[in-house]
Amino acid sequence: MAEDGAIQSDIPVDPPENQFFPGDQPVLAGDGRSALIRFRHALDIGLLDLATGTMTTISTHATDDDSLYLQAALSPTHIAVYHEGANQARVVRRDDPTGAQTVVPVPQYASGTAFVGLAGEWLLTGYRPPYGTSAGPGGPLQATPLNAGKSHTLLPAAEPEIAQIPSGGAVAVGQSTDGAWTAHRISIAPNGRPALTPLT
């Protein structure tokens, strides 16, 4: 599309062999360059180049074939794929989506379902209440280095959703140490660790 919203071209995109696009919620994540596409079967997702219509298949190593439980996060440098209920996520470099995958532990929270995001070389984890329970703030916001080091708590409590910033980093709503709730920008400090900046 052009900047004024006019459609410049339509590019037909077909799913891989033995797959098809679901009728609802086909897009897992995206930005101005690419979109991560859900297929009917959870064994793969697609990285769609929005300029060319080229689809690259990424293996998910999902724990079962229910693609509705797939999550994905897209940063300028990495792609993370997580199947809800698993204790690990798979991360690949965005510039080499079919290359080696890094297995990153996903911290578990007793009363919540993990929700993943990315910031630099860190996997972010928030938690939402289990399906069928009352909505509300989840557990802590945590960060795990992609090299499988120790997880760190960034916020003691946070809303489950993690919004990716196309230029890098993420935004999460959570409780600061003083008890106040606000949106926080998550960026990477010069020392390589995630840093929080309240957005007021």
Side-chain angles (χ1 to χ4, degrees):
M1 298 181 69
E3 290 185 2
D4 63 1
I7 296 176
Q8 295 181 311
S9 63
D10 287 323
I11 304 174
V13 178
D14 294 321
E17 186 177 358
N18 299 321
Q19 288 275 24
F20 59 90
F21 300 121
D24 59 347
Q25 300 178 349
V27 178
L28 288 162
D31 57 20
R33 295 189 292 132
S34 307
L36 294 172
I37 305 298
R38 185 196 316 269
F39 301 133
R40 169 60 185 86
H41 298 292
L43 302 178
D44 303 297
I45 63 170
L47 175 65
L48 177 63
D49 185 311
L50 297 178
T52 66
T54 302
M55 181 85 75
T56 302
T57 300
I58 301 172
S59 179
T60 65
H61 298 273
T63 55
D64 62 49
D65 196 27
D66 192 341
S67 66
L68 287 177
Y69 291 96
L70 282 175
Q71 297 179 24
L74 185 68
S75 79
T77 55
H78 293 87
I79 298 166
V81 183
Y82 175 65
H83 195 273
E84 293 179 17
N87 59 8
Q88 61 188 24
R90 299 270 178 162
V91 180
V92 296
R93 290 201 56 83
R94 185 167 175 168
D95 58 8
D96 186 20
T98 60
Q101 296 190 358
T102 300
V103 177
V104 183
V106 173
Q108 302 299 302
Y109 184 68
S111 60
T113 300
F115 189 94
V116 300
L118 289 163
E121 299 285 328
W122 295 77
L123 182 77
L124 306 174
T125 310
Y127 304 90
R128 61 185 173 210
Y131 293 113
T133 62
S134 300
L141 177 67
Q142 301 197 65
T144 304
L146 299 186
N147 64 8
K150 183 180 178 181
S151 297
H152 301 275
T153 299
L154 301 180
L155 293 169
E159 296 288 345
E161 290 80 10
I162 300 168
Q164 298 294 144
I165 301 173
S167 60
V171 173
V173 176
Q175 185 179 32
S176 304
T177 53
D178 62 2
W181 281 79
T182 189
H184 296 80
R185 178 168 185 156
I186 307 161
S187 56
I188 303 302
N191 65 2
R193 293 171 63 92
L196 296 176
T197 303
L199 302 177
T200 56

